Amino acid sequence: MQKLKLNLGQPTLVRRVMLSLLAAFCLVWLVLMGRELSVAIDREDFDRRVRALGDNVQVTLDGVQSEEVARAALAATSNLINQSYRDQGVPGILALQLSRADGTRIYLSPETKGTPLPNPGVDIGSTEIAGQPFRIHQRRVGAWAVTVAAQKISNWWILRRMGAELGVNMLIALPLVVLPLWIAVRRGLKPLQELSAHIVGKGGHDLTPLNIVPKYQELKPLATALDNLLDQLRRRVARETSFVHDAAHELRTPMAVISVQAHVLVKAQDQAQRDEAEQRMDHAIARASHLVQQLMEMAQLERGTEKGLSLQPLDAAQMARQAIVDLAPAAMERDIELSLEAPDALPHALDHHAFLSILHNLLHNAVRYIDDGGQVTVELARIDGTLRLAVSDNGPGIPAAEQALVFERFYRCAGQNVSGSGLGLSIVQRAAQGLRGAVRLEAVQPRGCRFVVDIPAA
């Protein structure tokens, strides 16, 4: 019983459709009741029915000269209509009165209990009989004056009567609509259940496409979206696996150097050997530390990009000046000239960490790979609302065959004797993508490189 209660508490599409259908039926019932009630209580429509009754009486008495015949005809009409009211439970009466042309009353419906019907004085008017409201109509028929009085029925009674009658009709129609719809919904959900079972049967490590062509057109976008999602997951897993493998490979070299030099330090016989081993160990530690820092920076950018970077107005020119100041001591040691071409202030919607990563990695790469006495130029400008950052150097440049590969993780150009992690440009590209921008490499003649980053306005 507890399990049944839990199942009943779970929302389902079938139940939601059925409840929506019931709500629609109730709404239709209310609308129809409102429409029928508005017609039933409409005064002009009621008056038309009273006049129509007068027309029928006129046809009945047309050509009748005998008082007995006229009285009998009117009595029969009155009894027939009022009996019909009683049979149907209508809380009202119809009163008929027949008078001579001089006003002498010949017949009066017994339902009035002797209360004569007045002359309305107009085509149709209102009166009260025994405290109940009536609409009264009088017309001349040859030698007779016929008065028709119809009692106005309570609106509440009309509402209940119509509600009951419409309710019965709606209850008859409900299963005829619900049953086919329920069958259609159940059968319509079956392909979705089959798709779900197919996904469950794949297993947690199977990221191959579903390759299912659903029977129903509405499910095709879902199957396509699932295949696209699996493809993205498959590529991401492959990328992360490759990344972990490459990171482990890159870390293995400095770790091996540290291990070897540690043994040398322990077993070295003279100070020169110990100094050389210590120097190599420091270099390996610095390389490993730089690689770990780059990996952490890449991971931080990945997480920030997935969640969405926090953009805020920042002065790009001031950030560039600060990055140049931070790098100035290392550049001065090698007589490298750093210059900035930018306005005094250049506000733009940026993420502080992402833009700083772009600046630092482009500047460090430029300084690291150019010769002593070289030049590095940083350019900042706004072009049609887009922030453009360009970092140029007059170093050896990058061969055309390798320019398309420099943004790959852990890729280092052949023939370089400068140590590095091979992650700097990958970090720049990822940070630029997080800022909805892009980075590209432009060759500089006769030698050198120029990296251009375009960041659109928010």
Side-chain angles (χ1 to χ4, degrees):
M1 181 61 70
Q2 183 66 24
K3 183 178 180 180
L4 178 61
K5 289 182 178 179
L6 291 175
N7 290 336
L8 289 176
Q10 294 294 324
T12 66
L13 288 176
V14 175
R15 185 185 307 166
R16 183 169 184 175
V17 171
M18 294 299 105
L19 290 177
S20 299
L21 181 62
L22 289 175
F25 261 79
C26 292
L27 183 60
V28 170
W29 178 63
L30 290 173
V31 170
L32 290 178
M33 278 185 56
R35 179 179 178 277
E36 293 296 327
L37 180 63
S38 66
V39 172
I41 65 176
D42 182 67
R43 181 167 175 172
E44 292 183 359
D45 187 72
F46 189 79
D47 289 348
R48 280 195 297 271
R49 294 197 296 270
V50 173
R51 292 190 186 95
L53 185 56
D55 293 339
N56 293 334
V57 174
Q58 180 178 359
V59 172
T60 302
L61 297 180
D62 192 24
V64 175
Q65 300 295 327
S66 170
E67 291 186 3
E68 292 299 326
V69 175
R71 182 185 300 111
L74 217 61
T77 302
S78 176
N79 290 337
L80 181 64
I81 295 176
N82 283 295
Q83 184 60 45
S84 174
Y85 278 11
R86 288 189 289 271
D87 291 343
Q88 297 181 24
V90 179
I93 63 171
L94 175 73
L96 297 178
Q97 180 176 281
L98 180 64
S99 303
R100 298 192 189 98
D102 60 3
T104 304
R105 188 168 64 251
I106 301 174
Y107 174 80
L108 179 62
S109 295
E111 285 78 11
T112 65
K113 297 180 181 180
T115 303
L117 302 180
N119 185 346
V122 291
D123 174 53
I124 191 166
S126 298
T127 188
E128 285 191 1
I129 301 175
Q132 298 298 321
F134 282 75
R135 292 293 286 172
I136 187 168
H137 169 64
Q138 190 179 78
R139 64 172 56 192
R140 294 284 179 177
V141 184
W144 320 109
V146 178
T147 307
V148 180
Q151 184 176 347
K152 297 180 67 176
I153 308 302
S154 166
N155 293 345
W156 175 243
W157 183 88
I158 296 174
L159 183 63
R160 284 187 300 159
R161 182 66 174 267
M162 289 184 173
E165 292 178 352
L166 282 173
V168 171
N169 294 332
M170 297 294 285
L171 288 176
I172 294 174
L174 183 61
L176 301 179
V177 176
V178 168
L179 184 59
L181 183 61
W182 180 79
I183 294 175
V185 172
R186 293 285 294 183
R187 294 188 63 182
L189 290 177
K190 189 175 180 180
L192 189 61
Q193 295 169 348
E194 293 174 352
L195 181 62
S196 176
H198 185 81
I199 295 173
V200 172
K202 285 176 65 64
H205 300 286
D206 185 2
L207 297 178
T208 57
L210 299 175
N211 292 325
I212 294 177
V213 180
K215 177 181 178 181
Y216 297 103
Q217 185 67 31
E218 291 80 3
L219 290 180
K220 291 182 179 179
L222 176 60
T224 302
L226 287 173
D227 280 343
N228 291 337
L229 178 61
L230 289 172
D231 181 62
Q232 293 176 13
L233 289 174
R234 188 169 58 254
R235 286 189 280 110
R236 178 165 183 172
V237 169
R239 186 171 65 249
E240 296 303 326
T241 302
S242 175
F243 179 75
V244 171
H245 177 269
D246 292 340
H249 177 76
E250 291 295 325
L251 280 171
R252 184 171 55 187
T253 300
M255 292 298 102
V257 172
I258 292 173
S259 177
V260 170
Q261 298 307 320
H263 283 84
V264 172
L265 276 174
V266 172
K267 297 180 180 181
Q269 299 298 322
D270 57 64
Q271 186 63 36
Q273 289 181 325
R274 283 194 293 271
D275 291 343
E276 183 180 358
E278 183 179 357
Q279 184 179 3
R280 291 179 177 179
M281 181 182 290
D282 289 341
H283 180 73
I285 292 173
R287 180 180 176 184
S289 176
H290 178 68
L291 177 58
V292 170
Q293 181 181 357
Q294 294 283 73
L295 290 172
M296 292 178 62
E297 187 172 3
M298 177 66 79
Q300 185 177 354
L301 281 173
E302 292 281 356
R303 288 195 302 270
T305 303
E306 290 178 359
K307 296 179 181 179
L309 297 180
S310 177
L311 302 182
Q312 54 183 322
L314 297 175
D315 188 350
Q318 177 59 32
M319 293 181 68
R321 280 191 288 270
Q322 185 61 49
I324 290 175
V325 169
D326 294 340
L327 193 59
M332 292 174 64
E333 288 182 3
R334 299 177 50 205
D335 196 26
I336 294 175
E337 180 183 344
L338 299 176
S339 62
L340 173 65
E341 298 177 6
D344 293 338
L346 190 56
H348 199 79
L350 299 167
D351 178 86
H352 185 271
H353 175 73
F355 190 64
L356 206 58
S357 294
I358 294 173
L359 285 170
H360 281 172
N361 280 285
L362 288 180
L363 285 171
H364 278 275
N365 269 13
V367 171
R368 182 180 295 115
Y369 290 103
I370 66 174
D371 300 328
D372 293 352
Q375 295 180 345
V376 176
T377 303
V378 179
E379 304 168 54
L380 273 173
R382 193 190 310 279
I383 302 175
D384 296 330
T386 297
L387 176 66
R388 173 164 294 179
L389 165 67
V391 177
S392 309
D393 65 67
N394 61 350
I398 298 174
E402 299 185 56
Q403 290 181 6
L405 305 174
V406 294
F407 294 104
E408 294 185 5
R409 293 171 175 174
F410 300 108
Y411 182 82
R412 288 195 293 270
C413 295
Q416 292 286 352
N417 57 3
V418 180
S419 64
S421 66
L423 284 174
L425 292 178
S426 296
I427 292 174
V428 170
Q429 185 181 57
R430 196 71 186 94
Q433 291 172 349
L435 293 170
R436 305 177 314 284
V439 57
R440 65 181 184 274
L441 168 61
E442 296 178 352
V444 179
Q445 297 299 331
R447 64 198 303 267
C449 293
R450 185 171 189 261
F451 289 92
V452 180
V453 180
D454 288 325
I455 302 174

